[in-house]
Amino acid sequence: MIIANRTDIGRVRQVNEDSLWVEQLPSGIVAAVVADGMGGHLAGEVASRMTVDSLQATISGAAAGLTNEECEALLQTAIKQANEVVYTTASSNEQYSNMGTTVIIALVEGERAVIAHVGDSRVYKANADGLVQLTDDHTLVNELVKSGQITAEEAAVHPRRNVIMRAVGTDPEVSADVSFYTLSPSDILLLCSDGLTDMVSHEQMVETLLTESLDLDGKAERLVSLALHAGGDDNITVVLLQGDANRIEGGTLQ
């Protein structure tokens, strides 16, 4: 598995509230996590880092060959434990009151990718057929779009487009959406915070991810650069994963 990742504070924020973790585990499974924190002064940074640290502690021992049901149970347990850590900290410390974070997790073993998410950070799959979003935003505007009350175009400029309906740490309990996908060696998985997707168009992401002249590391670098060039209004985090069966050059082999 080839791995590339970048995180950037952006051009507006005073602190980077995004956190990430990506690693090939002793079992051979590749695990990747992106969390986008929210809250008052430094609280978002604390929430995202606590969540990533908790998830890493739980997931690092994942065994190879787990069934889909076992993978889902592992990820739900990991997210519930992270939620408890963040919620307890927020409830007992006034400075962290109401802090929370989005989170996306990808576990890749062979051709199988297991995706879990809470919030509006996203996972995409890119290949010669284009770019497909694999996660469903837990946002107010997405619920309005799904119910037919507004269009996708209206959602993009809606005044409450940043209202998140589900997050880690904001409530005593949380449940993730978990889904399963089959990957081919040429597929690229993109995990990202909304600092990328709010700034970079679908077409720009497709063009970047399918550019043959760039290795995986170069693609991650270009995606972040595009977001910065568009204004960099938020923290930007990108993780790219791609199978190496075709001996694709570049990236970071973990």
Side-chain angles (χ1 to χ4, degrees):
M1 178 68 65
I2 304 169
I3 299 168
N5 64 82
R6 291 287 189 282
T7 188
D8 194 286
I9 195 172
R11 299 193 185 279
V12 176
R13 300 296 178 91
Q14 299 301 308
V15 64
N16 191 346
E17 295 184 325
D18 289 357
S19 297
L20 69 88
W21 167 58
V22 57
E23 182 181 352
Q24 183 165 337
L25 307 180
S27 62
I29 296 172
V30 172
V33 176
V34 171
D36 181 358
M38 53 196 176
H41 180 62
L42 297 182
E45 180 185 26
V46 171
S48 67
R49 177 42 54 193
M50 291 180 69
T51 295
V52 169
D53 288 347
S54 178
L55 291 171
Q56 182 176 357
T58 307
I59 294 171
S60 289
L66 296 178
T67 66
N68 285 353
E69 292 76 15
E70 289 169 335
C71 280
E72 179 165 5
L74 170 66
L75 293 180
Q76 292 287 9
T77 297
I79 286 176
K80 288 181 186 299
Q81 290 175 345
N83 185 78
E84 182 177 353
V85 170
V86 177
Y87 182 77
T88 299
T89 303
S91 300
S92 57
N93 293 271
E94 185 176 347
Q95 69 188 102
Y96 299 141
S97 178
N98 297 318
M99 74 174 176
T101 184
T102 70
V103 69
I104 44 178
I105 308 170
L107 298 183
V108 181
E109 181 181 15
E111 296 180 343
R112 181 180 65 175
V114 187
I115 307 296
H117 84 287
V118 177
D120 65 347
S121 295
R122 294 177 178 177
V123 180
Y124 292 86
K125 181 174 75 170
N127 55 34
D129 295 327
L131 182 68
V132 177
Q133 184 178 335
L134 303 183
T135 51
D136 191 34
D137 294 351
H138 297 145
T139 58
L140 173 63
V141 294
N142 192 41
E143 292 301 316
L144 295 175
V145 170
K146 290 194 293 184
S147 64
Q149 297 181 60
I150 63 173
T151 66
E153 290 73 22
E154 290 170 331
V157 295
H158 196 282
R160 302 189 70 192
R161 61 186 177 277
N162 294 322
V163 175
I164 295 175
M165 304 297 289
R166 200 190 310 180
V168 171
T170 55
D171 294 289
E173 300 287 339
V174 71
S175 179
D177 290 349
V178 180
S179 50
F180 304 86
Y181 300 93
T182 300
L183 301 178
S184 69
S186 59
D187 289 340
I188 298 174
L189 279 184
L190 162 64
L191 292 74
C192 60
S193 61
D194 64 353
L196 178 75
T197 52
D198 285 350
M199 295 283 102
V200 181
S201 70
H202 187 90
E203 292 73 22
Q204 287 175 309
M205 288 194 289
V206 171
E207 181 182 4
T208 299
L209 292 172
L210 299 185
T211 298
E212 295 183 359
S213 61
L214 290 174
D215 62 16
L216 206 64
D217 214 44
K219 292 174 182 181
E221 186 70 36
R222 179 173 291 183
L223 288 172
V224 171
S225 295
L226 286 168
L228 291 171
H229 183 72
D233 292 349
D234 200 352
N235 311 139
I236 310 146
T237 298
V238 170
V239 174
L240 299 178
L241 308 175
Q242 186 173 33
D244 61 353
N246 291 340
R247 299 182 183 277
I248 303 158
E249 297 298 327
T252 302
L253 185 60
Q254 298 280 328

